[in-house]
Amino acid sequence: MRVVVTGGGGFLGSHLCDALLARGDEVVAVDNFSTGRRENIAHLDRNQHFKLIEADVVDGIPVDGAIDAVLHFASPASPPRYLELPIETLRVGSEGTRNALELARMNGARFLVASTSEVYGDPSIHPQPETYWGNVNPIGVRSVYDEAKRFGEAMTAAYRRTFNVDAKIVRIFNTYGPRLDPGDGRVVSNLLTQAIAGEPLTVYGDGSQTRSFCYVEDEVRGLLALLDSEEAGPINIGNPIEMTMLELVELVREVTGSTSEMVHRPLPQDDPKQRKPDITLAKERLGWEPRIDPREGLQRTAEWYRQ
């Protein structure tokens, strides 16, 4: 296939480019590098099946020629980044999503949009199934990301119903691994870089809030399983192993050998108290579940940061 990956220079987008190329696809990555990193795809410069187009998808997606699939992964994804870029985040989720859908529609291409577990907000149902409509503050500071993704889902569903676009929605839960920017601001990158540097380990609130972390290799395998399937979604792709932030701190200490103390900071506004995917649909319809446990994934990620 010839596949367009928006946000192809990002953490997850770059791993998608690698996986698509490895299986024989031709890849066109589109990125404006507002949050993506050129280093993530520098190793693909000489690959004759890879092309990079530097562009902002909000302004259009200038890809010529036939296209078989469009994977829309352009968006800031870490809280510090989307809080720094609130309008840009909303626009890439709305105008950018429409432009990506139009590209798919005009080419009769399959479409996959990267949505997020953040559409569930601070959930009142646990674990979170795809049937749960969420509990999101639509005007809170985090809403620029949450609502951008919810709108992107709505636009994707509308294109599927109105234009019969073969459009799919994936809800991605916390993902980590090599190429996760050390300054990204997410909890795994924060704790690993602090531990390796011998700095205090930052915990927000009392550390009792929970998250579920999926290693990037597992995540990409699930994304491609959905892309290749006849399922429309939304489908959760994440690791159902749930841990508190205090448990994560102890695991980070173990894999890094850190003796750093823990320091507590105030909990950010609208920070979810718990997060865990129900992956029943992914197991039954895609034959997918994660294989890499958190300890192994954190060890691999820590080694990448050290290098």
Side-chain angles (χ1 to χ4, degrees):
M1 296 195 300
R2 185 168 187 247
V3 184
V4 173
V5 180
T6 72
F11 161 56
L12 195 46
S14 66
H15 282 282
L16 267 175
C17 290
D18 285 345
L20 289 163
L21 289 164
R23 72 182 200 172
D25 293 332
E26 181 181 347
V27 175
V28 180
V30 182
D31 206 306
N32 69 346
F33 297 104
S34 60
T35 58
R37 304 173 73 214
R38 294 180 187 277
E39 298 94 320
N40 289 342
I41 50 175
H43 62 289
L44 300 177
D45 283 347
R46 296 181 182 177
N47 189 317
Q48 62 179 342
H49 300 296
F50 176 78
K51 180 180 181 180
L52 169 64
I53 295 176
E54 188 168 349
D56 188 336
V57 298
V58 169
D59 300 324
I61 305 176
V63 177
D64 297 324
I67 295 164
D68 300 296
V70 178
L71 281 61
H72 184 40
F73 280 72
S75 177
S78 75
R81 298 291 163 83
Y82 60 67
L83 292 176
E84 290 169 4
L85 301 166
I87 306 303
E88 293 86 345
T89 301
L90 286 162
R91 292 188 70 193
V92 77
S94 52
E95 298 160 62
T97 301
R98 186 181 179 201
N99 287 336
L101 280 160
E102 273 296 305
L103 184 65
R105 183 175 76 89
M106 297 301 291
N107 282 272
R110 183 161 282 191
F111 179 83
L112 175 64
V113 65
S115 188
T116 171
S117 61
E118 296 296 331
V119 301
Y120 299 124
D122 189 6
S124 57
I125 293 178
H126 195 71
Q128 293 79 58
E130 291 87 348
T131 52
Y132 177 50
W133 289 357
N135 177 35
V136 173
N137 175 1
I139 58 170
V141 292
R142 292 173 67 101
S143 68
V144 297
Y145 185 67
D146 303 355
E147 297 293 6
K149 291 297 187 179
R150 287 162 70 95
F151 183 90
E153 286 196 14
M155 181 70 83
T156 300
Y159 262 72
R160 186 176 181 88
R161 288 189 295 264
T162 305
F163 301 116
N164 201 32
V165 174
D166 184 4
K168 304 164 183 296
I169 299 167
V170 60
R171 289 177 180 162
I172 297 170
F173 283 67
N174 293 62
T175 307
Y176 69 99
R179 299 184 200 156
L180 182 60
D181 188 340
D184 180 84
R186 280 179 268 196
V187 64
V188 169
S189 53
N190 281 352
L191 292 176
L192 282 175
T193 54
Q194 289 170 346
I196 291 168
E199 298 170 353
L201 307 179
T202 303
V203 174
Y204 293 94
D206 62 9
S208 63
Q209 67 271 32
T210 69
R211 295 293 185 271
S212 302
F213 301 99
C214 191
Y215 188 67
V216 66
E217 181 182 308
D218 282 331
E219 188 71 38
V220 167
R221 191 167 45 82
L223 296 173
L224 295 185
L226 176 56
L227 176 68
D228 294 338
S229 76
E230 298 307 313
E231 298 297 324
I235 288 187
N236 292 334
I237 299 292
N239 193 322
I241 297 175
E242 181 185 16
M243 64 179 71
T244 67
M245 297 302 94
L246 296 179
E247 289 170 334
L248 177 62
V249 165
E250 290 310 311
L251 192 51
V252 166
R253 282 173 170 162
E254 284 180 33
V255 302
T256 61
S258 170
T259 57
S260 295
E261 63 176 354
M262 199 172 2
V263 294
H264 290 265
R265 297 284 183 263
L267 199 64
Q269 181 184 338
D270 298 327
D271 193 66
K273 290 183 285 295
Q274 54 187 2
R275 189 63 59 74
K276 176 182 177 179
D278 181 331
I279 62 168
T280 302
L281 278 180
K283 286 182 178 180
E284 292 178 350
R285 300 187 185 180
L286 304 179
W288 176 88
E289 60 184 317
R291 298 171 181 162
I292 298 169
D293 66 43
R295 177 174 277 100
E296 181 182 352
L298 286 170
Q299 286 172 337
R300 293 186 189 184
T301 310
E303 181 59 28
W304 184 82
Y305 281 144
R306 287 193 178 100
Q307 291 175 356

